């Protein structure tokens, strides 16, 4: 259990201390008004932590405060970790970005594409080209999520018991075979759609490495980076007490505890979700973002080469398009306007189009429970925000966070 502490006075890294305090003042209002139970935030610049703040409670009913070592469900902030794992294997020659996914998961050799019709009687057509590893990394595979409720294929996922996750007892290999048996939304590489692509990528990591995803994460990423509190489940009385409660908005105002989804992290999982299965702490995820911000290295441990990371954090969408142009108009953990997508990260391609105070080339992602992180390579900034409110679209936390951080940059 490690605490994240400030390492430098803000002024030493070009940040205004009084302006940084606006972050805490603003988000304290979320807690005081009953919109959030509690939160943690960290801002680092030029490799030094300049601002850390916590406010509110990790469990309102029990009266337990947010602390340095509070554990948070990070959901889709798992995706960049899985993507880094795949990129590490790419660097080692264990896989190629152009490999058909069927090389690792044979059931994907028979995948077809939705053309028309209902969930009960869909018309399909053959794929023009197979789903490849880079399609998984960029969410251009045609895979989807059952919880979108936007398309007959989404309904087909739910019909197989896949909404926010697979049926209980299904492992990652079984889930991938199920998804491969259902039609893709579109021809691979032609559109962008948020879905189970990164879960499938996690299975590719398992097959290519010969290790379970949990073991790969632990041995190749978490232990080298000192991320001792990050994993697929939380167990033991002491750790369970540190786990923040997951909340959803209550009609008419206030918060109510989430149901079964909240408890999933407390059980040893059969299904290792590379798309959304991890819990972590502010300290641990800060360590991960610092590795990214430093070009793939932290404290003498190098996970990726700087050229690999630079390649991964550029826009890989066809024709250099943004999500607004090529993405299906459904839920995602970023804005669509002015945002492209790289190999596991959203990437800002036009700051003005997004109507947010973002930097060109800024990359990051968020999670279903309103967590978020981003790295701005130009300003040498990295930011991590943790809370537990589902869904993340409830409040404009992320754009407000970006403004509050950016307005504190004075040199």
């Amino acid at each position: 259990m490690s605490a994240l502490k400030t390492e430098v006075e803000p002024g030493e890294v070009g940040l205004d201390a009084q302006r940084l305090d606006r972050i805490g003042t603003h988000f304290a209002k979320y807690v005081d008004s009953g919109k959030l139970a509690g939160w943690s935030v960290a801002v680092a610049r030029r490799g030094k932590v300049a601002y850390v703040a916590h406010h509110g409670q990790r469990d309102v009913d029990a009266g337990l405060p947010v602390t340095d070592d509070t554990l948070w469900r990070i959901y889709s902030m798992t995706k960049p970790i899985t993507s880094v794992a795949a990129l590490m294997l790419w660097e080692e020659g264990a896989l190629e970005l152009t490999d058909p996914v069927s090389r690792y998961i044979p059931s994907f050799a028979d995948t077809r594409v939705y053309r028309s019709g209902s969930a009960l009687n869909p018309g399909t057509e053959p794929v023009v080209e197979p789903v490849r590893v880079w399609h998984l990394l960029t969410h251009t595979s045609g895979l989807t999520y059952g919880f979108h409720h936007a398309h007959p294929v989404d309904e087909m996922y739910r019909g197989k018991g896949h909404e926010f996750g697979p049926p209980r007892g299904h492992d990652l290999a079984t889930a991938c075979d199920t998804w491969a048996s259902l039609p893709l939304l579109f021809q691979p590489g032609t559109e962008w759609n948020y879905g189970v692509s990164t879960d499938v990528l996690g299975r590719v990591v398992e097959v290519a490495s010969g290790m379970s995803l949990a073991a790969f994460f632990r041995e190749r990423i978490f232990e080298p980076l000192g991320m001792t509190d990050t994993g697929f489940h939380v167990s033991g009385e002491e750790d369970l007490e540190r786990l923040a409660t997951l909340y959803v908005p209550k009609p008419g105002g206030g918060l109510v505890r989430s149901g079964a989804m909240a408890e999933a992290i407390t059980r040893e999982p059969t299904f290792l979700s590379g798309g959304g299965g991890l819990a972590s702490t502010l300290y641990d995820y800060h360590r991960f973002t610092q590795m990214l911000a430093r070009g793939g290295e932290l404290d003498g441990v190098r996970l990726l080469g700087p050229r690999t990371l630079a390649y991964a954090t550029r826009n890989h969408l066809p024709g250099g398009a943004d999500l607004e142009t090529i993405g299906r108009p459904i839920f995602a953990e970023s804005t669509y306007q002015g945002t492209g997508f790289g190999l596991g990260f959203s990437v800002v391609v036009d700051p003005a189009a997004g109507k947010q105070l973002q930097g060109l080339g800024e990359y990051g992602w968020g999670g279903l429970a309103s967590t978020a992180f981003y790295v701005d390579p130009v300003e040498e900034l990295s930011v991590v925000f943790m809370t537990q409110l589902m869904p993340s679209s409830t409040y404009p936390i992320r754009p407000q966070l970006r403004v509050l951080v950016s307005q504190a940059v004075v040199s």
Side-chain angles (χ1 to χ4, degrees), residues 85-149:
L87 292 169
M88 292 168 68
L89 292 170
W90 179 43
E91 284 191 330
E92 295 165 13
L95 59 80
E96 295 293 331
L97 299 184
T98 52
D99 282 345
V101 173
S102 59
R103 180 170 296 179
Y104 309 94
I105 309 171
S107 54
F108 271 85
D110 302 319
T111 301
R112 293 179 65 84
V113 178
Y114 174 89
R115 186 181 70 248
S116 61
S118 69
L120 295 177
N121 187 29
T124 65
E125 61 187 18
V127 293
V128 174
E129 71 163 304
V131 179
R132 302 183 187 277
V133 172
W134 77 267
H135 294 135
L136 300 177
L137 282 158
T138 57
H139 288 282
T140 58
S141 64
L143 294 162
T144 190
Y145 273 131
F147 66 75
H148 284 326
H149 292 260

Side-chain angles (χ1 to χ4, degrees), residues 30-366:
Y30 272 86
V31 175
D32 299 342
S33 63
K35 294 179 178 179
L36 294 177
W39 50 263
S40 289
V41 65
V43 179
R45 195 173 194 213
R46 299 169 189 160
K48 299 292 185 181
V49 180
Y51 182 80
V52 178
H54 318 288
H55 190 77
Q57 297 175 313
R58 66 181 188 270
D59 186 323
V60 174
D61 292 340
L64 298 173
V66 172
T67 54
D68 292 331
D69 61 356
T70 294
L71 285 159
W72 312 89
R73 298 163 191 80
I74 62 171
Y75 289 116
S76 287
M77 276 165 56
T78 305
K79 287 180 170 70
I81 297 174
T82 305
S83 300
V84 164
L87 292 169
M88 292 168 68
L89 292 170
W90 179 43
E91 284 191 330
E92 295 165 13
L95 59 80
E96 295 293 331
L97 299 184
T98 52
D99 282 345
V101 173
S102 59
R103 180 170 296 179
Y104 309 94
I105 309 171
S107 54
F108 271 85
D110 302 319
T111 301
R112 293 179 65 84
V113 178
Y114 174 89
R115 186 181 70 248
S116 61
S118 69
L120 295 177
N121 187 29
T124 65
E125 61 187 18
V127 293
V128 174
E129 71 163 304
V131 179
R132 302 183 187 277
V133 172
W134 77 267
H135 294 135
L136 300 177
L137 282 158
T138 57
H139 288 282
T140 58
S141 64
L143 294 162
T144 190
Y145 273 131
F147 66 75
H148 284 326
H149 292 260
H151 192 278
V153 175
D154 305 342
E155 185 180 344
M156 294 170 72
Y157 276 54
R158 296 194 299 276
K160 293 288 188 179
H162 293 254
E163 188 164 5
F164 284 96
R168 182 171 290 192
H170 283 217
D171 62 12
L172 182 53
T174 303
C176 286
D177 288 343
T178 299
W179 298 327
S181 74
L182 299 173
L184 303 172
L185 261 67
F186 46 76
Q187 292 289 346
T190 62
E191 298 184 48
W192 188 93
N193 187 74
Y194 197 40
V196 297
S197 291
T198 317
D199 287 303
V200 177
L201 185 67
R203 179 60 182 157
V204 171
V205 168
E206 290 190 328
V207 177
S209 68
M211 304 168 67
S212 74
L213 194 61
F216 190 97
F217 281 176
R218 183 178 63 253
E219 296 176 25
R220 299 293 308 278
I221 298 176
F222 299 156
E223 289 179 357
L225 292 182
M227 296 171 64
T228 58
D229 281 327
T230 304
F232 281 110
H233 81 293
V234 177
S235 63
E237 184 178 348
E238 187 177 349
D239 288 346
L240 287 169
E241 186 175 318
R242 292 195 288 140
L243 179 64
T245 301
L246 180 62
Y247 292 99
V248 296
K250 185 165 58 178
L255 301 169
V256 62
R257 287 171 175 260
S258 177
M261 281 190 68
E263 300 304 316
I265 197 70
T266 66
R267 296 188 300 268
E268 181 84 40
T270 303
F271 173 73
L272 298 176
S273 174
L278 293 174
S280 190
T281 61
L282 185 70
Y283 174 86
D284 274 18
Y285 213 88
H286 164 75
R287 297 282 295 174
F288 180 72
T289 62
Q290 286 307 287
M291 178 275 296
L292 298 173
R294 290 169 57 92
E297 176 273 337
L298 183 63
D299 294 343
V301 174
R302 179 166 292 284
L303 300 190
L304 292 172
R307 290 186 177 183
T308 302
L309 196 57
Y311 182 72
T313 55
R314 60 176 296 178
N315 186 21
H316 284 255
L317 296 181
D322 66 1
L323 297 180
E324 177 68 17
T325 304
I326 201 171
R328 295 279 173 122
I330 52 175
F331 169 85
E333 297 291 354
S334 77
T335 56
Y336 272 41
Q337 294 87 356
T339 299
F341 207 85
L343 302 179
F345 309 88
S346 62
V347 183
V348 176
V349 295
D350 185 349
K355 301 299 184 287
Q356 296 186 26
L357 198 51
Q358 298 172 294
L360 184 65
E362 176 192 301
Y363 62 91
W365 202 238

